[in-house]
Amino acid sequence: MAQTAPTPGSSSPRPSDPGGVSPWAAGGTMFAGVLLVVDGILGVIKGIAGIATDDVYARINNYVFEFNVTTWGWIHLILGIVIAVVGLGILRGATWARWVGVGLAALNMIANFMWLPYQPIWAVVSLAIDTFVIWALCTDRSKSVV
């Protein structure tokens, strides 16, 4: 088969054009899938630590969003499992996983913001990860990642 050159005056879509695929966004989507899997596994570990013992995390007094640490453990465990599964779906190229991933990353941002007094450094790291995940999943327009 012979390939034809573009006609004069027309240009092929650049990666930044809406019709083209940005390599940054496509690579970012794959990285977002990996980050969601890792963030989900870390959420499971956070959850197990909160459920198993009550002395792993700091006790907070007079906090507006105060829950029992065991309750926070269950929240992180369930959210972590679902986030990891959605991350695997993103790596497989499932369209539904992208939109669910955006929603779960936003929900995880809210949970980690409320979790800030218990583990401030890891909550901020997770907030940054979720911010990147939302950006990457919203900017990529390709069909499949892997």
Side-chain angles (χ1 to χ4, degrees):
M1 288 193 180
Q3 293 181 338
T4 60
T7 59
S10 69
S11 63
S12 60
R14 292 178 296 153
S16 60
D17 286 346
V21 176
S22 168
W24 276 98
T29 301
M30 184 171 189
F31 189 54
V34 172
L35 283 177
L36 278 177
V37 171
V38 170
D39 203 20
I41 292 170
L42 291 175
V44 168
I45 293 169
K46 271 194 287 192
I48 291 171
I51 293 167
T53 59
D54 245 4
D55 59 351
V56 173
Y57 299 115
R59 295 184 188 273
I60 307 298
N61 294 326
N62 300 325
Y63 180 51
V64 175
F65 304 113
E66 184 177 350
F67 289 129
N68 182 337
V69 175
T70 305
T71 304
W72 275 115
W74 281 106
I75 290 170
H76 285 294
L77 177 69
I78 293 167
L79 198 56
I81 291 169
V82 176
I83 286 172
V85 169
V86 170
L88 290 172
I90 289 170
L91 290 175
R92 298 211 50 187
T95 305
W96 64 266
R98 260 192 212 161
W99 300 111
V100 173
V102 169
L104 282 176
L107 187 63
N108 200 35
M109 283 180 81
I110 294 167
N112 279 296
F113 180 76
M114 292 168 54
W115 178 250
L116 239 132
Y118 296 95
Q119 287 290 316
I121 293 173
W122 288 111
V124 169
V125 167
S126 190
L127 286 168
I129 288 171
D130 291 330
T131 301
F132 175 79
V133 166
I134 290 171
W135 171 83
L137 295 178
C138 288
T139 57
D140 184 22
R141 300 284 182 237
S142 65
K143 294 289 181 195
S144 177
V145 177
V146 179

